Amino acid sequence: MSVDHATPASFYANQPDRGHYYEIALQIPKSGFDFFAGSGFLKPTTTLKKEEATDVHVILEKSGYKIVKGKKAFLNKDYNNQKVVWINDDPKNTASLKFAIDQDTEDMTLEDITKGAIKHLSQNNDKGFFLMVEGGKIDWSSHSNDGGTTLHEVIDFQKTIQLAYDFYKQNPKETLIVVTADHETGGLVIGNGSSKLNTAALAHQKVSQGTLSSLIGNLRNDKPNASWDEIKQLIADNTGLFTHLKVSKGDEESLFKAYEKSFVNHVNETTKTLYANDDKLAALSIKILNKIASLSWGSTNHSAGYVPVYAIGEGAELFNNKMDNTDIPKKIAQAAQLNF
Ligand SMILES: [Zn+2]
C-alpha cells in the first residue's frame, strides 16, 4: 500500500477526504512518527487543486526524514536514530506492493517492512513503541472476487503476524498484539454448491486475476486471432482449469463465448471493480476456479459482515465480546496506560 493510503493516513493525518493524497503526505513531518513504509506516494507532486507543487520526497528530506528506496537498501543498513520513510525503488509499483501471488524474490514484501519496522523501532528504545501494519491488498483482491490471490494475501499477512508474535514471545510482559480489520470485503462465504473449502484447487492458481488479464491482453496483441486451444492452454497454465480441474460444460461454454467475442469478433470485454478492470476471460476463469474451490462472493465492495478481533499479550483481556471498532484505539490506549 502507498504511505498516503487511507488506513496508514488515518493514523498520522487529518484531512476531510482520503483522496487528499498530497495534503496527507505533507502531514508526515507534523506527526513526528519515527518510521513510515510502503510502496510510495500516489500524488507526490500534485495538490488537491491539481496544481504542481514541491515534491513530497524533497519536503520530507528537508524536514529530517531519510528516504530509503528499495528492499535491500533498508535491510542491509542501520538507520539507527534517524527518522525513516522506506519506499519501493520499482517505479512500476509505487501505488501499491505487488500481490503476494505475483511477487518474486526481488520484490519488497509486507514481511520485509514489518521486520524492518520492528528492528528500527525497538533498537535503543526503552520507552516502547506502537506499530500499525496493514495487509491492505486482502481488500483489493476481494474487491475483484479473486479467491486464490486473497488466500495468498492472508498468508502474507500471517507472516507479518508471526514476526510480531516472535517479538511478543521475547517481550511477553510488555507487548500487546491486536489483529483486526476495518471491514469485510466481498461478502466472502465458504460454500458454493459444497460446504467444504477446496484449497487444493486454489493452489493451482499461479497469478492474480489482474496478471492473468495482462497475459491474455499480451496474447491478444501478439496474436489477435489466437485459437481457442491457445487460450485454453494459457488459462490452464495459470489456473489449473481443464488440466487439473474439471470444468463443467456450461462453464466451458461461457468461457468459449467470451473467447469468440474477444478473439474472433474482436470486441474487448472487461469486468470493472474498484481497483481493477480485468479481461472478461480472466474474470470468468477465476470465477469458475472459485466455484470449484467452494468460495462464493456476494459483492464486489465492502460488506457489513462482522470482523474478528484477535488479541494476545498485556491487556488482551480488554478485547472481548462484540465491540464497536471505535473502542479498539481506546482499549489499546488503556492497555498501554496512556491517557488522552
Ligand atoms: Zn476496499
Side-chain angles (χ1 to χ4, degrees):
M1 212 53 62
S2 58
V3 179
D4 47 14
H5 215 257
T7 298
S10 69
F11 283 78
Y12 67 81
N14 190 358
Q15 285 289 323
D17 189 275
R18 61 181 289 170
H20 298 189
Y21 295 115
Y22 184 80
E23 292 71 19
I24 284 169
L26 290 190
Q27 292 192 294
I28 286 180
K30 282 185 206 138
S31 74
F33 291 175
D34 300 297
F35 181 89
F36 292 83
S39 54
F41 293 91
L42 288 170
K43 302 267 183 203
T45 59
T46 314
T47 69
L48 183 63
K49 292 178 181 156
K50 299 203 166 52
E51 285 162 357
E52 286 302 291
T54 312
D55 193 319
V56 156
H57 303 85
V58 174
I59 294 173
L60 292 177
E61 293 243 288
K62 272 196 182 147
S63 58
Y65 280 88
K66 172 85 190 153
I67 307 244
V68 185
K69 286 188 179 177
K71 175 172 176 150
K72 287 190 188 131
F74 187 80
L75 293 176
N76 293 346
K77 216 182 144 197
D78 240 330
Y79 293 93
N80 213 353
N81 301 325
Q82 268 182 292
K83 289 186 174 179
V84 167
V85 178
W86 181 23
I87 54 176
N88 229 338
D89 59 352
D90 176 358
K92 287 201 299 290
N93 290 295
T94 53
S96 69
L97 300 180
K98 280 187 198 169
F99 280 123
I101 197 172
D102 293 331
Q103 280 169 352
D104 54 46
T105 49
E106 295 298 304
D107 291 313
M108 191 174 178
T109 66
L110 196 64
E111 192 183 6
D112 296 329
I113 287 177
T114 311
K115 196 180 277 175
I118 292 175
K119 185 179 146 210
H120 189 76
L121 295 170
S122 60
Q123 262 176 358
N124 306 328
N125 178 357
D126 53 12
K127 288 187 193 155
F129 64 91
F130 172 85
L131 170 66
M132 191 286 293
V133 181
E134 184 194 20
K137 288 190 86 171
I138 296 171
D139 172 64
W140 290 28
S141 51
S142 298
H143 277 289
S144 300
N145 290 177
D146 181 349
T149 300
T150 302
L151 189 68
H152 281 270
E153 285 304 306
V154 173
I155 293 169
D156 195 48
F157 187 50
Q158 158 66 23
K159 289 180 191 161
T160 73
I161 296 168
Q162 182 67 47
L163 291 169
Y165 185 66
D166 292 344
F167 182 85
Y168 155 75
K169 278 197 291 186
Q170 286 161 13
N171 308 277
K173 296 239 179 300
E174 43 197 39
T175 305
L176 168 66
I177 304 172
V178 180
V179 182
T180 190
D182 47 357
H183 55 76
E184 195 275 348
T185 304
L188 175 61
V189 165
I190 295 171
N192 191 345
S194 153
S195 59
K196 200 173 165 203
L197 177 65
N198 184 352
T199 44
L202 291 176
H204 293 294
Q205 189 174 334
K206 296 288 174 278
V207 294
S208 67
Q209 181 172 295
T211 298
L212 180 58
S213 177
S214 303
L215 292 172
I216 293 169
N218 294 345
L219 180 64
R220 190 186 293 106
N221 288 339
D222 295 346
K223 283 184 162 186
N225 299 307
S227 69
W228 170 230
D229 279 344
E230 282 172 285
I231 292 292
K232 246 171 118 171
Q233 192 60 50
L234 180 68
I235 292 171
D237 290 345
N238 290 288
T239 62
L241 293 177
F242 300 109
T243 42
H244 294 85
L245 304 165
K246 196 171 155 22
V247 178
S248 74
K249 226 175 152 199
D251 284 338
E252 180 161 356
E253 261 171 33
S254 62
L255 274 173
F256 182 74
K257 269 188 193 151
Y259 156 77
E260 261 191 329
K261 209 163 186 183
S262 176
F263 283 85
V264 181
N265 302 327
H266 303 290
V267 180
N268 281 5
E269 271 194 295
T270 54
T271 302
K272 194 168 167 28
T273 52
L274 187 61
Y275 292 106
N277 195 9
D278 294 328
D279 187 283
K280 181 93 184 274
L281 276 164
L284 266 177
S285 303
I286 297 302
K287 198 174 174 185
I288 294 164
L289 178 60
N290 279 213
K291 194 169 141 197
I292 293 171
S294 199
L295 295 180
S296 66
W297 298 89
S299 153
T300 55
N301 224 314
H302 301 166
S303 80
Y306 283 105
V307 294
V309 183
Y310 301 108
I312 192 167
E314 197 61 29
E317 69 284 353
L318 295 167
F319 300 85
N320 54 28
N321 300 325
K322 210 163 86 176
M323 66 181 110
D324 197 307
N325 61 358
T326 58
D327 286 340
I328 292 174
K330 292 174 196 159
K331 285 170 189 273
I332 290 174
Q334 192 185 338
Q337 293 168 357
L338 296 171
N339 291 313
F340 288 112

